[in-house]
Amino acid sequence: MTSNHKIYWITVIADRGKGEKAASVFKEYHQELLLNVRGHGTASSAIKDCLGLDEPEKDLIIGVADQSASHTLLSALHKKLELDKPGYGIVFTISLTGISAAAFNLLKPGITGNQEHLSTDYHKEERSMSDTNAYELIASVIHTDLSTPVMEAARIAGCKGGTLIKAREMGGDSSKKLLGMTVSNEKEILLMLVPKTDKPAILKSICETVLKETGEHAITFSIPVDDVAGLNTPIK
């Protein structure tokens, strides 16, 4: 099923504890399809050594909103989290090309989730690809012991910072046996919001660093984002 009604994936990255404040904004505007993901920042080794600090813990609040609510939410989050101040957090949106009908109906005003008949269909947005996005989200799936060299390589290529999310590998033959138990390899997902013009150099630097360290290529991809707040940039 196709629709011209745009749906946006909204992500807030802020210091641990501020996630509830961000979630309250979503709830205030009746946009409550939320996930709270734990992550941590990527302070440079020099800063950590100087201050005696580990990477700051982060809250990632991930929500979905329709087009009419998206820009209002960005403005409200910008004000509530004081994103005009450096280091207070970032918010960005990504337009979705498909969403389940059940989720779509929850976003529509006046529609509740207690429907007698639940649809298993999905809504697909028909839209032309645009080349006007100023920022892109780079995601790199790496081994936990590579987070420091990979982040340093990204910084050299122009990246200002990133957020790490803990993960673990599933399937394949990479699991190890320890005392008769299967232990899955731990992974980290490094998320970096970067200017589109810096993306090629950062992707190349990451892949070259992983190749040098492990002899393998990194699983790295980028996604264009629509609106950004908190990077010393005004809301579009």
Side-chain angles (χ1 to χ4, degrees), residues 211-224:
L211 185 65
K212 178 181 177 181
E213 295 284 341
T214 68
E216 300 178 355
H217 290 283
I219 301 175
T220 305
F221 57 91
S222 64
I223 307 170

Side-chain angles (χ1 to χ4, degrees), residues 8 70-71 74 91-94 133 193 225-229 235-236:
Y8 290 91
S70 175
H71 197 271
L74 241 68
V91 182
F92 60 88
T93 68
I94 297 173
N133 304 79
L193 194 61
V225 303
D226 292 84
D227 297 321
V228 176
I235 298 175
K236 287 170 56 181

